[in-house]
Amino acid sequence: MDLIDLIPFQNEFNKTYHGLTSNATHTSETPVFHELKVRRYDKPVDEVRDFISSKIDHWVGWELKSEKTAVGGTTTIRGEVTSVLLFGIKIDVTFGLFEETDINGRPITTVNAKAETRIESRGDLGESRRIIRMMLGALDFEFRHQQIKDEDYHYRSVDVNGPSASFQQIFDNARLHHQKKPEGSPKATAIEFKKRAPVQTIQLNKPAEKNGDTSHSAGSAAENGSSSAQSETPASAGKAVASRPKVTIITTKKNI
């Protein structure tokens, strides 16, 4: 026996430490706490999926986001939970269901779960773990007579290290928040957008109007409601159109 086992309330201290140092929790075959143990039920995946979806729809603060079924038989249910303890912060929870057939041809449904809190701190006071415990506790109570233990699963399963193990590895390798990135990983580069070239406008001058005596060149006004008109240029303001020359005819009177 280790001396650590003699510490009173050891499990409670571990839960407090886990809640202050990480804000994402997922189920596993060898979890930190027994409440995060992977669940297996002697039920088809459709019944377990319908039960989880109905609980998300009826529980206060829970909202169903998506429900997808992959080709290999994997079903993913995503939900969003509003935490009262964290003053309304959202918690993203994901449930993964996998169905396999045992040696007797009966279905076995494996249930995994993970939760992520949308906060920048290192811990969420165990809220993510509480969200998972709520759903897994409801499943254990609903299918309490169909729950499969580890020793029964290893006896009934056709291939323990097959697709079920690959599905479990997805949740075991879930990246936690604030986990340091491996060294040598490329840094994100900023995306620069090219500015649009300015549009050049060309003003067209109207032809000068001709008058009977003089003609003045008026400036052209800008198109589409321009408020200011160009003033007359000095060169064209004083220029007048040349008038026709006057011809005088002189006649002589003859004396009669």
Side-chain angles (χ1 to χ4, degrees):
M1 179 182 294
D2 297 333
L3 295 177
I4 301 177
D5 298 335
L6 300 177
I7 299 176
F9 308 106
Q10 178 184 359
N11 192 28
E12 284 72 15
F13 280 122
N14 290 335
K15 289 183 179 180
T16 303
Y17 175 78
H18 187 76
L20 295 175
T21 55
S22 63
N23 60 356
T25 311
H26 61 89
T27 54
S28 177
E29 293 288 352
T30 56
V32 181
F33 310 107
H34 180 71
E35 58 195 27
L36 298 178
K37 179 70 175 177
V38 176
R39 301 310 202 263
R40 292 184 176 90
Y41 303 99
D42 192 2
K43 282 288 184 180
V45 67
D46 295 337
E47 296 186 16
V48 180
R49 179 194 60 199
D50 294 341
F51 178 80
I52 295 176
S53 300
S54 63
K55 288 299 181 182
I56 294 177
D57 290 335
H58 291 85
W59 282 350
V60 178
W62 290 61
E63 183 180 357
L64 182 63
K65 287 298 183 181
S66 64
E67 183 178 334
K68 299 179 181 178
T69 301
V71 179
T74 303
T75 302
T76 303
I77 303 174
R78 298 182 183 274
E80 183 182 78
V81 185
T82 303
S83 174
V84 179
L85 181 61
L86 299 179
F87 303 101
I89 293 178
K90 304 294 185 180
I91 299 177
D92 297 325
V93 59
T94 303
F95 298 98
L97 285 69
F98 178 77
E99 181 182 355
E100 58 181 323
T101 305
D102 64 356
I103 57 178
N104 298 321
R106 299 174 59 183
I108 297 177
T109 301
T110 303
V111 180
N112 275 279
K114 68 176 180 179
E116 295 181 354
T117 311
R118 301 178 188 176
I119 57 177
E120 295 297 332
S121 61
R122 295 185 62 85
D124 59 357
L125 303 179
E127 274 295 284
S128 57
R129 186 175 67 253
R130 183 183 68 85
I131 297 301
I132 297 176
R133 188 175 67 247
M134 287 180 60
M135 185 60 70
L136 295 182
L139 287 170
D140 292 341
F141 181 78
E142 180 69 18
F143 306 114
R144 52 188 177 276
H145 300 295
Q146 290 82 22
Q147 190 171 358
I148 300 175
K149 304 298 181 180
D150 290 342
E151 54 272 13
D152 296 334
Y153 173 70
H154 286 82
Y155 172 75
R156 294 174 53 180
S157 178
V158 178
D159 187 6
V160 179
N161 298 323
S164 179
S166 301
F167 173 68
Q168 178 61 41
Q169 189 177 3
I170 298 176
F171 285 84
D172 291 342
N173 295 336
R175 186 176 65 86
L176 303 182
H177 279 210
H178 306 287
Q179 182 178 359
K180 294 183 179 180
K181 295 182 179 180
E183 297 181 357
S185 59
K187 297 182 179 180
T189 57
I191 301 175
E192 297 181 357
F193 295 95
K194 295 182 178 181
K195 295 183 178 180
R196 187 177 179 181
V199 180
Q200 183 180 3
T201 58
I202 302 176
Q203 297 181 355
L204 301 177
N205 294 330
K206 295 181 180 180
E209 297 178 357
K210 292 184 179 180
N211 204 348
D213 297 330
T214 59
S215 90
H216 299 279
S217 62
S220 62
E223 294 182 358
N224 299 326
S226 176
S227 62
S228 63
Q230 185 177 1
S231 61
E232 297 179 353
T233 58
S236 62
K239 184 184 293 183
V241 180
S243 58
R244 295 181 180 179
K246 296 181 179 181
V247 180
T248 304
I249 302 175
I250 302 174
T251 58
T252 57
K253 295 182 179 181
K254 296 181 179 181
N255 296 326
I256 302 174

